[in-house]
Amino acid sequence: MASNRTFTMIKPDAVRAGNIGNILQMINAAGFRIVALKLTQMSMERAGQFYEVHAARPFYGELCEFMSSGPIVAAILEKDNAVEDFRKLIGATNPANAEEGTIRKLYATSVGENAVHGSDSDENAAIEGAFHFAGVELF
Ligand code: DAT
Ligand code: MG
């Protein structure tokens, strides 16, 4: 069944580069409704928990350092088929492989600093949304 909600983060590189507005504009233009939104920062420990699934990967330490290096924008987004459609909007993990017009093609600088996160399944969208937001923060 197609999902209605996904979870995203505008990562520290894109926040530092001043691209919050540009990326939110693309998200809105693609038809996603913002259900929850905040500027926040993860500690190294919280980043480690968020990316626990990647703990065995060689880039895990670097990933957690980067994701805790500055503020992020966390958001829950709603749209028919949200998870799959948002992954299409952000493009491939490595911006060198991302299609023209995708957020990562436009704003990511490397495979590690790739501007945005997008959930990869309905189950993870729910887990990741709950990691960052309390029920009263959803609208
Ligand atoms: P995605 O963010 O497209 O879902 P992923 O879940 O495979 O990609 O990896 C999570 C993040 O980890 C990714 O956004 C950036 C980082 N990462 C992935 N592969 C990497 C690599 N080969 N070198 C450095 N960082 C990497
Ligand atoms: Mg992923």
Side-chain angles (χ1 to χ4, degrees):
M1 197 180 89
S3 76
N4 293 319
R5 287 185 178 180
T6 191
F7 172 77
T8 186
M9 295 181 285
I10 300 176
K11 296 187 179 184
D13 59 324
V15 173
R16 275 193 281 273
N19 287 323
I20 294 173
N22 292 331
I23 292 171
L24 289 178
Q25 167 62 29
M26 288 181 73
I27 288 171
N28 275 328
F32 292 88
R33 188 180 77 78
I34 293 171
V35 173
L37 184 74
K38 75 168 96 173
L39 186 67
T40 184
Q41 183 164 355
M42 289 190 284
S43 64
M44 185 73 184
E45 189 188 1
R46 289 267 296 165
Q49 288 165 5
F50 186 89
Y51 283 108
E52 189 91 61
V53 64
H54 294 306
R57 311 279 286 276
F59 55 81
Y60 179 64
E62 182 189 337
L63 172 63
C64 297
E65 292 274 0
F66 166 62
M67 287 302 295
S68 60
S69 69
I72 59 163
V73 173
I76 296 173
L77 306 174
E78 192 168 78
K79 181 185 185 295
D80 287 349
N81 203 35
V83 166
E84 192 184 340
D85 286 3
F86 193 72
R87 293 293 306 200
K88 278 190 196 134
L89 178 65
I90 69 177
T93 305
N94 186 341
N97 303 324
E99 282 184 40
E100 291 297 330
T102 60
I103 294 174
R104 282 169 167 169
K105 182 70 175 186
L106 285 164
Y107 299 118
T109 51
S110 69
V111 65
E113 305 204 358
N114 59 8
V116 280
H117 169 81
S119 304
D120 62 9
S121 67
D122 292 0
E123 187 190 3
N124 285 333
I127 292 168
E128 292 169 0
F131 184 90
H132 280 280
F133 293 100
V136 294
E137 296 178 292
L138 274 57
F139 297 94

